[in-house]
Amino acid sequence: MKVICTSPSFAKYDATPITTLQQQGFELITLPADAPLSALEPHLAETVAMIVAFTDVNEELLSKAPQLKIVCKHGVGVDNINLDATRARGIYVTNVPDANKHAVADFAFALILNSARQVTQAAVDTRAGHWPRIFATDVYGKTLGIVGLGNIGKQVALRAKGFNMRVIAFDFYPDAKFAAEHGIEFVDMEQLTEASDFITLHTPLTNETRNLFDAARIRRMKKSAFLINVSRGGVVNEQDLFLALQDNVIAGAAADVFEQEPLVEHPLFTLSNFIPTSHIAGYTDGAISAIGERCVMQIVQCIKQGERPVNVMNGLA
């Protein structure tokens, strides 16, 4: 029984997930994150489970894997996995929605602070010998708008309370109990866009959220506001954001995610009021270890115990 893994961070800090698979009688096949189908194909006929990062799990791949029972996303977003095709074939698709919530929330808040205080620009200029006097903006006491008050968004909200921020939120499925307990106000997107000093995005990429922040919405933000995206590329229209930042429609933005990854160059990279990072928000030792363990747990549940795994994302009963 083969398990193909294309996540480069699987078991990076702790070999326990690998040991567990071996003890359960699985053969682990580790391939690069960008491995083409031709590299996967020699193993697919005997593969019962996959652990993937960004591998395109499409119809063609599935047609070559007759024994495949479960695809585990080594993370949260499953937009690289064909949910309809897997469901039609009776293949579970799972993710790990909360193992990296603290890591991503920490990173989102780091980008908020970095954007407000221009830490990256100060470091670049100081290293170049310019000793800049950068007059920045406060975070303390400002209004934070959170789009997607789920596992990660909630943790960002809790961190914001330490900065005495007013927190407002938009969510398609609002958790009224959590909001009431922590003094968070749910508002519509228009109110959130216009009232926030900082907007942070924590929503999956769906038909509803694609290009959620386009030119029209960005123009409705405060001129002094910052936009932070650690959710998915495509939630923000990158060309519209570039033009808005270039024209100082908003004060700045930061993104850990892009429509095409990895990136070598991008127009946004030329702007001093934009902070890019390389999809690393969830990369901490604790988060990575927990994600690997939970992926393996779900594989064991499905294959060895014959149970429905937790966190099924494609609606398979």
Side-chain angles (χ1 to χ4, degrees), residues 106-155:
D106 284 350
F107 197 86
F109 220 88
L111 291 180
I112 290 171
L113 292 167
N114 194 347
S115 298
R117 298 306 307 270
Q118 301 180 43
V119 176
T120 295
Q121 190 61 46
V124 169
D125 290 348
T126 303
R127 186 175 285 117
H130 301 313
W131 203 254
R133 296 295 184 184
I134 293 177
F135 294 88
T137 191
D138 292 319
V139 173
Y140 188 87
K142 294 295 183 69
T143 296
L144 175 65
I146 301 176
V147 180
L149 196 69
N151 288 314
I152 295 168
K154 289 174 179 174
Q155 293 301 317

Side-chain angles (χ1 to χ4, degrees), residues 241-253 268 271 273-274:
L241 179 62
F242 169 74
L243 294 174
L245 291 173
Q246 189 177 52
D247 295 338
N248 295 310
V249 173
I250 59 174
L268 284 164
L271 303 177
N273 57 349
F274 179 75

